[in-house]
Amino acid sequence: MNWKLQSLPYSVDLETLKVLRLLPEAHRALAELKGVAQSIPRQDILINTLAIQEAKDSSEVENIVTTHDEIYKASMGIESVTSSQAKEVQNYIVAMKTGFAIVAKNHFLSINHIKQIQQILENNNAGFRKVPGTTLKNNKTDEVVYTPPPKP
């Protein structure tokens, strides 16, 4: 199955009656989460846990599999007990937090910001790929499931 990215804005109306009816419930749940989060003495612990889970799950898509234990050890800098996979996930976490901080401060992402985040993520200064044609394939069937859009 090939995926094609649609141009923005989407032609589909996202503010359907069904979605609008679910908004009060979503608002209530977010308010409840906010109330619970405010009762936590160090809210950064909750946020860090969410970032770690996101980084771990997203990295598994690229066959970078690790455990929470290894990620926590990597975040503490214990070199002798840290796997390369945990280090990659840790780079992902730092890159995600850096990107969030950049957007919070500047309210936009520039090409240089993206390169800065990429440098943290990949732990090098490679910059953007020079060779087009990177695709995602199904490992079992070799079927291309995603081809990124060409360079503008």
Side-chain angles (χ1 to χ4, degrees):
M1 169 191 311
N2 287 329
W3 294 93
K4 183 177 184 223
L5 293 177
Q6 295 180 10
S7 298
L8 294 175
Y10 292 127
S11 59
V12 177
D13 183 15
L14 299 176
E15 293 183 3
T16 64
L17 189 56
K18 182 178 180 180
V19 170
L20 293 175
R21 285 186 178 150
L22 292 172
L23 283 177
E25 183 182 338
H27 187 268
R28 181 199 55 75
L30 287 171
E32 184 179 339
L33 177 62
K34 182 179 180 182
V36 171
Q38 288 176 339
S39 71
I40 298 172
R42 292 205 39 219
Q43 293 178 20
D44 61 312
I45 293 172
L46 174 63
I47 300 303
N48 286 337
T49 302
L50 295 173
I52 287 169
Q53 188 63 48
E54 162 61 22
K56 181 181 175 295
D57 291 347
S58 292
S59 296
E60 284 180 4
V61 170
E62 297 182 33
N63 205 25
I64 299 168
V65 180
T66 187
T67 65
H68 285 97
D69 191 44
E70 288 178 321
I71 296 168
Y72 288 119
K73 288 176 183 177
S75 70
M76 295 181 346
I78 304 172
E79 285 293 320
S80 62
V81 293
T82 304
S83 71
S84 61
Q85 290 87 357
K87 288 178 188 177
E88 283 196 50
V89 173
Q90 186 62 29
N91 288 348
Y92 186 113
I93 295 165
V94 174
M96 187 170 29
K97 288 179 182 179
T98 300
F100 181 81
I102 288 170
V103 171
K105 179 182 175 189
N106 301 304
H107 305 289
F108 70 93
L109 277 175
S110 70
I111 298 280
N112 288 333
H113 292 144
I114 292 169
K115 286 182 180 178
Q116 179 184 352
I117 295 165
Q118 180 186 18
Q119 180 180 1
I120 295 166
L121 183 62
E122 296 182 2
N123 203 20
N124 65 37
N125 290 318
F128 293 123
R129 289 189 176 124
K130 309 280 189 266
V131 179
T134 303
T135 59
L136 295 179
K137 293 184 178 183
N138 179 320
N139 288 339
K140 293 180 182 175
T141 65
D142 251 2
E143 176 188 11
V144 174
V145 293
Y146 174 75
T147 302
K151 186 177 177 182

